[in-house]
Amino acid sequence: MIIDYIGVKEIKGSLIVIDGVLGVSYEEVVGIRLENGTVRQGRVVQIEGDRIVVQVFEGTKELSLENTRTRLKGHPMEMKLSPEVLGRVFDGAGRPIDDLGEIFPEKKMNINGTPINPVARVYPKNYINTGISTIDTLSTLIRGQKLPIFSGSGMKHNELAVQIARQAKISSEEGENFAIVFAAMGVKNDVAEYFRRSFEESGVLQRVVMFLNLSNDPVIERTLTPRCALTVAEYLAFELDMHILVIMTDMTSYAEALREFSSSKGEIPGRKGYPGYLYSDLASLYERAGMIKGKKGSVTQIPILTMPNDDITHPVPDLTGYITEGQIVLDRSLAGEGIYPPVSILPSLSRLMKDGIGEKYTREDHSPLANQLFASYAKVMEARSLASVIGEEELSEDDKKLLEFGKQFESRFVNQSFNEDRPITKSLELGWELLSLLPRKDLDRIDDSILDKYYRSLDTATKDDDSDNK
Amino acid sequence: MKNQNVIYGINGPVVTIKDTSSFSMLEMVYVGNDKLVGEVIGITEEFTTIQVYEETTGLKPNEPVEGTGSQMTVTLGPGIIDNIFDGIQRPLRSIEEISGAFISRGASVSPLDTNKTWDVTIKVKLGEKLSPGDIYAQCPETSIITHKCMVPPNVGGEVVGVNKSGKYKINDTIVVVKDENGVEHNLTLCQRWPIRTPRPVKRRLATTIPLITGQRVIDTLFPISKGGAAAVPGGFGAGKTMTQHQLAKWCDADIIVYVGCGERGNEMSQVLNEFSELIDPKSGKPMTQRTVLIANTSNMPVAAREASIYTGITLAEYYRDMGYHVAIMADSTSRWAEALREISGRLEEMPAEEGFPAYLPSRLSEFYERAGLVENINNTDGSVTIIGAVSPQGSDFSEPVTQNTKRFTRCFWALDKSLAYERHYPAINWMQSYSEYFTDLDPWFTKNIGENFVRYRKKINAILHEENKLMEIVKLIGSDVLPDDQKLIIEIARVIRVGFLQQNAFHADDTFVPLEKQELMMKVILHLENKARQLISASIPISRIIERGLFDKLTKMKYDVPNNNLEKFNDYIKEIDEAFEDIIKS
């Protein structure tokens, strides 16, 4: 028996309240038909006896207390899935918008997913060669990892994401089984278009699933977009054995949509008005990355978020950093100097890196070299702040060398062209070349055996050798 | 069906029932047709409020709610060690067998394997009088842990029935006792205990034994006692989890309870992997043989995250009662506090600071007070040491969870982002951290390691503080202008920072360093400092000492001296002496 509930009791922001509802289940989907024939979708977010609160994804514009007919759909939000989803474009709520018709579903899955049992996870170890020195050498991306890009408006995070997607594909042995799921939340139309064009140019468009909730699309729908995208990603990875790279941009817009929903529901806000459950909510997205025992596929996530006012302690980057396995932070002053990609070395980090590099995967010297580059670059920062106080001339010889190292490190190592796919060995060699600008005695993070093998003595080194021999 | 209680309202993990008086506070209940596990957290005349430990999607009003008559309990018996549980003690490996790689709802599995047989040795005879806590049987639980079956704290009396030693399952009755009232109690291999109630002890002892971790900055500068409580706060990427893992691997507790509370799934799989490959140096057996994991990752239901901390500490107390030293790592208590906040928000309670409920401090203190070195009710000694990670929002240590944790722990290991940026690990900031256990522990160090240990530590500490002051000047005008004796402080502090405090977790020798080696390292460093100071006061320029390369050599001695060949440190002393004689002569 299908019942239409006529009218609503209350409208508040994106929420409507309906009385006298029977047989409803929590998180059930409802269809709301307006008098003019348009249908909107909603979800039950609270039940109190026979009164329900429904979140309307398209917003409550034009709704009145009388002009609606609401129908329960009998199931939670689901995504229709089949191998045909590859190459398709959907809106933020998972409905096709590319005029190619409905998906004929082989399977329907709840977009909220279910948590992966920790004992069923495979600890990710296969590194992905992105061809970008700063990432490959210093914060290596691992298959099955979630590694966000922390950026700010006006910086080239989109280019970086495109470059990673493009180059990671080429180096993959199982290139055949590679696909990209792209979720846009509240981004501008031209950003979405840029991604589409870039995928097209690199010839992978048939292997991309796009979810577009642009900045002028309904805000509340945005809370569904990453869930739909990840459901597709999980389906492709764990049912069809594909390696999936999920790019989600912009997570800050997502969090803002969540805040809007939460405040209209009258919930007690946490920091900066974001709901207290923002951490759990973000985790329910990010934790859907990974690999599972006995399955060939993997889900790797690169969420992109813009830090409001470049503030890394803002709740969205802060909570994201606590969930994801590292972060790549972009820096405005590097970007200002024209360095691409403007990766801020010191706060960037990959937690899974330590087990995915070294002799078995990349090269024996990778880990000590990376450590030394971090340590030396940290000293560069100290020397720079000293130089800004007392002037460069007054610096000690060692500090001057550091400044030179810092300059070359940024212009040669960090900086590379958008089209350059730099092999890992070349990046490592470059790292050693730069370290050779520094006296050997200052390289305190590297074992002597490694130093003997890779450190090339320049004029500075001869002096040190003398003092050792004395 | 008049007495049936049914669901009235649903809001996230919070479910309400109308017009009932049949439930008691903190009672465990089964909610809905899928029998989701829940707990009663509020009762008013009109509504009973329940928090549900599983996803509530699809739950409907008018589905039944059943009471169990008891509080949330854990099952205590052999089979806990080397297992991995979720926040309410459901074994994740069994759940995987039932529902595959993804966790389905309402999975009903026994916490411990009920079919496995254990090799039980009975320790009591017919007619013997048993008091609460007495050990009546034992069995080898893993290759290194002997499980002792103890009379539950609320039972006692005369043994009126006893089985022979042999093979039993956990629910088999092996001993029957008759209490004063003539009631017979069947004792099996296991017992149940409510997670929110601390297990009783006879008395608390002074915490005078250190928990040796093999991490130099902790053992030397900020030691923790067995039975102590420590907080490890740090922003993301500062190395909280790394520090927790290092402690779980190397600290000298008998048993480790590792609670992954609202953290990453991949981290738990890393722990599972690493610990099964790592060999415990003391026993020569895999680390998993002494470890219990509780994994409630960040995407698992939030209410179970709140319970996971209590589940962990209850398991720890149970093994303490057997006379073991147990260390519990809680990573991270902030996620637990956030779970409290989330539930509190759903209950529409009046928030205190930053939206956290007003009872946050009392909950934190209840938890940390369950640590302690105690005399158990069966007269054995045991301890529970709590090491709780804190993830402050925005890396700001003034937020409520960090501040309140500080009040209830006596050890504070502050992780520092700027040290982590330099890849200085463990990134424990020596200026902000502290330990209040010194006075309790100093006699132990003096007696067991040597009388110089405490003196060396004080000296090292003084140098680091002195350096911190000098760095303020150096930041403004550079180090070249400092007089030589101050330059010496800077140089020697660098040796201490890089050569001593920094420790490489991936280096075979450096990942765990015995106290003897820690002492000798300090001795060599301070010997160099002492000698250099003598020369400088004799107006010999410091550059002549530095060019000998001794400072650089000492920063690498942690790698160059193997843990099993500590005599090598004598060579360093000799080399320093010879070098300085040489300088004086020339």
Side-chain angles (χ1 to χ4, degrees):
Chain A
M1 185 183 65
I2 295 164
I3 304 176
D4 276 355
Y5 297 96
I6 300 174
V8 298
K9 171 98 178 146
E10 206 179 313
I11 304 173
K12 201 168 62 181
S14 63
L15 302 177
I16 55 174
V17 180
I18 305 172
D19 264 353
V21 182
L22 299 172
V24 62
S25 64
Y26 190 63
E27 300 244 309
E28 185 170 345
V29 176
V30 300
I32 302 150
R33 182 182 290 274
L34 269 66
E35 263 173 2
N36 61 12
T38 56
V39 178
R40 296 188 190 176
Q41 264 196 323
R43 178 175 58 173
V44 177
V45 293
Q46 193 172 340
I47 303 175
E48 247 185 272
D50 60 359
R51 168 179 292 193
I52 61 169
V53 181
V54 175
Q55 176 192 30
V56 185
F57 299 130
E58 290 90 342
T60 48
K61 202 169 133 192
E62 295 180 340
L63 258 63
S64 78
L65 294 182
E66 279 142 22
N67 68 353
T68 60
R69 299 167 83 85
T70 308
R71 182 177 290 184
L72 299 175
K73 294 286 172 92
H75 59 79
M77 278 296 293
E78 280 172 340
M79 183 73 205
K80 292 176 184 167
L81 298 165
S82 88
E84 290 165 29
V85 295
L86 282 172
R88 299 293 304 267
V89 183
F90 299 89
D91 72 356
R95 291 171 296 224
I97 47 168
D98 52 3
D99 300 328
L100 295 174
E102 282 288 313
I103 299 290
F104 182 70
E106 281 190 2
K107 197 171 178 173
K108 286 180 182 175
M109 273 159 83
N110 183 342
I111 62 160
N112 287 323
T114 33
I116 301 176
N117 191 328
V119 299
R121 281 183 187 267
V122 177
Y123 184 59
K125 279 189 175 171
N126 289 337
Y127 104 110
I128 298 179
N129 194 346
T130 64
I132 297 165
S133 290
T134 40
I135 296 178
D136 286 352
T137 319
L138 299 175
S139 34
T140 317
L141 179 64
I142 306 286
R143 183 168 287 160
Q145 186 175 17
K146 36 197 181 290
L147 190 63
I149 299 176
F150 288 9
S151 182
S153 22
M155 283 196 274
K156 296 195 169 177
H157 42 267
N158 296 329
E159 283 80 353
L160 181 59
V162 164
Q163 192 176 3
I164 293 172
R166 190 182 59 212
Q167 296 179 172
K169 189 209 80 174
I170 295 164
S171 58
S172 157
E173 290 162 31
E174 296 130 329
E176 280 299 288
N177 276 326
F178 181 88
I180 297 169
V181 173
F182 175 76
M185 290 157 281
V187 298
K188 289 187 292 289
N189 196 33
D190 31 351
V191 171
E193 179 56 25
Y194 169 77
F195 273 98
R196 203 196 60 78
R197 211 176 48 237
S198 309
F199 293 143
E200 193 172 18
E201 277 164 14
S202 44
V204 291
L205 201 56
Q206 308 75 38
R207 309 205 142 262
V208 178
V209 189
M210 295 185 96
F211 289 84
L212 301 179
N213 173 282
L214 304 178
S215 45
N216 54 348
D217 286 337
V219 173
I220 298 302
E221 211 171 85
R222 214 162 279 170
T223 57
L224 300 177
T225 313
R227 295 192 162 79
C228 294
L230 287 165
T231 307
V232 168
E234 279 174 354
Y235 167 75
L236 294 174
F238 302 132
E239 309 249 334
L240 304 181
D241 292 339
M242 300 180 82
H243 293 293
I244 307 298
L245 181 67
V246 184
I247 299 174
M248 301 191 285
T249 180
D250 164 354
M251 292 308 292
T252 310
S253 303
Y254 167 80
E256 279 162 3
L258 198 68
R259 175 167 68 179
E260 193 174 324
F261 159 64
S262 164
S263 78
S264 66
K265 216 177 148 194
E267 288 169 337
I268 294 166
R271 234 177 6 137
K272 293 212 169 163
Y274 288 97
Y277 51 80
L278 183 61
Y279 178 85
S280 303
D281 190 90
L282 288 175
S284 71
L285 302 177
Y286 297 140
E287 277 292 323
R288 290 171 82 172
M291 291 162 80
I292 291 178
K293 279 179 197 157
K295 312 256 181 180
K296 284 195 199 121
S298 64
V299 176
T300 310
Q301 286 185 14
I302 302 187
I304 300 173
L305 57 90
T306 49
M307 299 181 279
N309 201 21
D310 293 349
D311 175 13
I312 200 170
T313 65
H314 182 276
V316 180
D318 188 46
L319 295 179
T320 299
Y322 276 122
I323 306 161
T324 54
E325 285 133 354
Q327 63 277 336
I328 294 168
V329 184
L330 302 190
D331 179 68
R332 198 170 291 279
S333 71
L334 280 179
E337 285 165 35
I339 287 168
Y340 171 87
V343 176
S344 179
I345 300 301
L346 298 179
S348 297
L349 164 85
S350 163
R351 287 165 193 271
L352 300 182
M353 170 176 173
K354 59 187 188 302
D355 295 305
I357 61 168
E359 218 172 340
K360 269 191 271 174
Y361 304 94
T362 54
R363 227 169 65 176
E364 48 165 358
D365 58 320
H366 190 157
S367 164
L369 173 73
N371 268 331
Q372 187 61 56
L373 286 172
F374 278 121
S376 298
Y377 193 64
K379 282 194 200 144
V380 170
M381 293 303 171
E382 281 170 26
R384 277 187 187 162
S385 68
L386 185 58
S388 69
V389 178
I390 60 171
E392 250 179 70
E393 273 83 67
E394 301 294 315
L395 289 181
S396 66
E397 272 309 304
D398 282 357
D399 281 348
K400 281 183 187 154
K401 278 179 197 152
L402 273 174
L403 285 190
E404 180 58 24
F405 163 78
K407 215 166 105 194
Q408 295 213 21
F409 179 75
E410 283 165 7
S411 62
R412 295 173 60 198
F413 189 88
V414 180
N415 195 20
Q416 71 185 78
S417 116
F418 175 64
N419 292 313
E420 184 182 0
D421 188 358
R422 207 182 271 166
I424 177 77
T425 44
K426 203 176 157 201
S427 294
L428 293 175
E429 283 311 315
L430 190 56
W432 280 110
E433 206 180 311
L434 292 167
L435 281 185
S436 303
L437 293 168
L438 299 173
R440 177 167 168 159
K441 71 170 172 60
D442 282 356
L443 306 183
D444 46 23
R445 305 298 168 99
I446 311 180
D447 261 8
D448 280 334
S449 57
I450 301 266
L451 277 175
D452 290 342
K453 197 164 161 192
Y454 293 97
Y455 181 78
R456 282 181 294 279
S457 44
L458 297 175
D459 53 343
T460 48
T462 22
K463 203 179 91 197
D464 288 341
D465 287 347
D466 283 354
S467 62
D468 282 346
N469 295 338
K470 241 182 223 168
Chain B
M1 292 281 281
K2 219 171 71 192
N3 286 329
Q4 175 116 351
N5 292 303
V6 294
I7 299 174
Y8 176 74
I10 307 164
N11 181 8
V14 174
V15 166
T16 48
I17 309 170
K18 211 176 172 182
D19 299 328
T20 176
S21 54
S22 54
F23 296 109
S24 59
M25 209 44 191
L26 298 183
E27 181 175 344
M28 185 176 140
V29 294
Y30 292 111
V31 179
N33 296 330
D34 284 342
K35 292 199 165 219
L36 311 180
V37 179
E39 187 178 14
V40 178
I41 53 170
I43 298 175
T44 61
E45 207 175 343
E46 197 178 2
F47 294 110
T48 299
T49 311
I50 292 164
Q51 63 173 340
V52 182
Y53 289 120
E54 298 178 68
E55 198 58 50
T56 50
T57 302
L59 218 55
K60 290 181 176 181
N62 295 324
E63 285 189 29
V65 179
E66 278 170 48
T68 59
S70 67
Q71 289 182 41
M72 274 296 295
T73 56
V74 284
T75 304
L76 302 167
I80 291 175
I81 309 266
D82 197 11
N83 213 331
I84 173 165
F85 300 105
D86 77 352
I88 47 174
Q89 212 204 5
R90 290 184 301 183
L92 288 171
R93 289 197 189 96
S94 314
I95 290 185
E96 188 192 12
E97 280 165 29
I98 298 173
S99 68
F102 295 90
I103 299 175
S104 64
R105 293 188 307 162
S108 149
V109 277
S110 162
L112 302 175
D113 189 343
T114 47
N115 292 318
K116 187 169 177 178
T117 56
W118 299 93
D119 216 347
V120 179
T121 314
I122 307 283
K123 307 290 268 186
V124 292
K125 291 191 202 71
L126 218 54
E128 210 171 303
K129 286 261 189 287
L130 290 181
S131 316
D134 283 351
I135 293 160
Y136 56 86
Q138 66 181 43
C139 65
E141 181 168 1
T142 66
S143 54
I144 43 181
I145 300 294
T146 304
H147 193 100
K148 294 162 187 164
C149 301
M150 297 166 293
V151 180
N154 44 7
V155 177
E158 190 186 337
V159 177
V160 292
V162 61
N163 282 11
K164 288 205 185 82
S165 298
K167 289 193 179 295
Y168 294 98
K169 296 175 186 169
I170 57 164
N171 287 327
D172 295 340
T173 299
I174 50 172
V175 172
V176 182
V177 294
K178 194 175 186 178
D179 65 18
E180 289 163 355
N181 305 327
V183 181
E184 291 194 351
H185 299 268
N186 293 336
L187 301 182
T188 62
L189 292 185
C190 64
Q191 53 178 290
R192 300 179 68 81
W193 190 262
I195 58 171
R196 294 181 200 277
T197 313
R199 285 175 68 85
V201 299
K202 197 176 218 171
R203 64 191 179 100
R204 295 173 83 96
L205 305 171
T207 49
T208 51
I209 314 166
L211 182 80
I212 296 159
T213 63
Q215 312 302 308
R216 287 184 293 261
V217 60
I218 293 175
D219 287 348
T220 310
L221 290 184
F222 311 108
I224 180 170
S225 308
K226 286 202 170 80
V232 195
F236 59 86
K240 284 184 304 297
T241 305
M242 233 358 244
T243 309
Q244 293 269 33
H245 283 192
Q246 279 299 96
L247 295 178
K249 283 176 195 165
W250 302 115
C251 81
D252 70 339
D254 300 311
I255 289 166
I256 306 291
V257 179
Y258 194 98
V259 187
C261 172
E263 287 288 315
R264 304 174 181 88
N266 280 335
E267 257 162 25
M268 292 320 290
S269 84
Q270 181 194 359
V271 173
L272 280 175
N273 271 350
E274 273 185 11
F275 281 36
S276 57
E277 285 162 18
L278 268 179
I279 301 297
D280 176 18
K282 276 174 293 165
S283 61
K285 295 286 193 302
M287 291 280 185
T288 42
Q289 304 274 301
R290 65 161 197 174
T291 311
V292 191
L293 292 176
I294 294 173
N296 215 90
T297 55
S298 55
N299 54 341
M300 283 155 82
V302 66
R305 190 191 304 165
E306 195 262 336
S308 65
I309 291 273
Y310 294 105
T311 302
I313 193 91
T314 310
L315 298 183
E317 283 176 342
Y318 177 62
Y319 283 93
R320 173 205 67 196
D321 289 350
M322 296 178 201
Y324 289 114
H325 294 290
V326 187
I328 169 168
M329 322 285 159
D331 186 12
S332 137
T333 56
S334 292
R335 304 294 160 235
W336 168 71
E338 277 163 15
L340 278 183
R341 174 169 70 182
E342 192 172 331
I343 305 283
S344 161
R346 305 260 187 199
L347 296 177
E348 294 172 2
E349 292 171 341
M350 184 68 82
E353 275 175 285
E354 304 234 1
F356 286 105
Y359 47 78
L360 174 72
S362 60
R363 293 285 171 87
L364 277 169
S365 72
E366 271 167 29
F367 170 65
Y368 282 107
E369 276 306 291
R370 288 174 81 167
L373 178 69
V374 301
E375 190 179 331
N376 291 315
I377 49 177
N378 56 14
N379 299 325
T380 55
D381 288 354
S383 71
V384 172
T385 312
I386 300 180
I387 296 161
V390 182
S391 321
Q393 302 165 355
S395 309
D396 172 14
F397 286 179
S398 66
E399 57 93 41
V401 183
T402 317
Q403 282 307 316
N404 286 313
T405 306
K406 244 177 152 172
R407 290 162 56 200
F408 309 119
T409 56
R410 293 175 66 200
C411 228
F412 189 74
W413 299 325
L415 299 180
D416 186 342
K417 243 186 183 169
S418 59
L419 287 175
Y421 285 175
E422 290 168 39
R423 301 310 189 255
H424 173 120
Y425 292 121
I428 295 177
N429 182 309
W430 48 92
M431 300 305 296
Q432 289 176 19
S433 307
Y434 60 79
S435 166
E436 293 175 13
Y437 292 109
F438 284 134
T439 33
D440 296 353
L441 294 176
D442 281 354
W444 188 95
F445 280 112
T446 308
K447 186 170 161 232
N448 292 282
I449 307 300
E451 24 191 77
N452 287 326
F453 191 89
V454 175
R455 197 169 57 83
Y456 290 158
R457 175 214 298 143
K458 284 187 179 144
K459 181 78 190 161
I460 294 261
N461 211 1
I463 292 173
L464 288 170
H465 276 79
E466 182 75 32
E467 187 221 15
N468 190 53
K469 265 190 261 166
L470 291 175
M471 284 318 265
E472 299 286 312
I473 304 171
V474 170
K475 268 188 201 136
L476 288 178
I477 52 172
S479 62
D480 281 359
V481 292
L482 292 179
D484 272 0
D485 59 333
Q486 295 188 339
K487 271 187 197 154
L488 174 65
I489 297 276
I490 301 262
E491 283 299 320
I492 210 79
R494 189 175 69 87
V495 176
I496 294 172
R497 280 192 283 116
V498 182
F500 187 77
L501 298 181
Q502 197 185 94
Q503 194 163 347
N504 187 344
F506 306 109
H507 189 280
D509 270 325
D510 206 34
T511 183
F512 173 88
V513 180
L515 286 178
E516 291 75 16
K517 183 173 171 186
Q518 300 188 18
E519 195 213 7
L520 288 167
M521 285 176 76
M522 290 196 282
K523 182 178 170 187
V524 172
I525 293 170
L526 293 174
H527 186 71
L528 174 66
E529 193 262 353
N530 194 19
K531 286 279 172 179
R533 189 164 294 281
Q534 286 171 16
L535 286 200
I536 287 168
S537 53
S539 305
I540 293 173
I542 189 169
S543 51
R544 289 192 50 203
I545 308 171
I546 291 174
E547 68 186 19
R548 293 280 166 158
L550 285 168
F551 289 95
D552 297 322
K553 188 160 185 187
L554 256 53
T555 59
K556 294 201 171 164
M557 70 183 164
K558 58 184 171 184
Y559 302 132
D560 295 341
V561 181
N563 289 349
N564 54 13
N565 185 12
L566 299 181
E567 278 87 51
K568 250 186 118 177
F569 281 110
N570 293 329
D571 302 346
Y572 282 82
I573 301 268
K574 220 186 280 169
E575 195 181 330
I576 293 170
D577 289 345
E578 282 166 6
F580 280 84
E581 269 170 41
D582 207 35
I583 295 173
I584 296 170
K585 267 186 230 155
S586 59

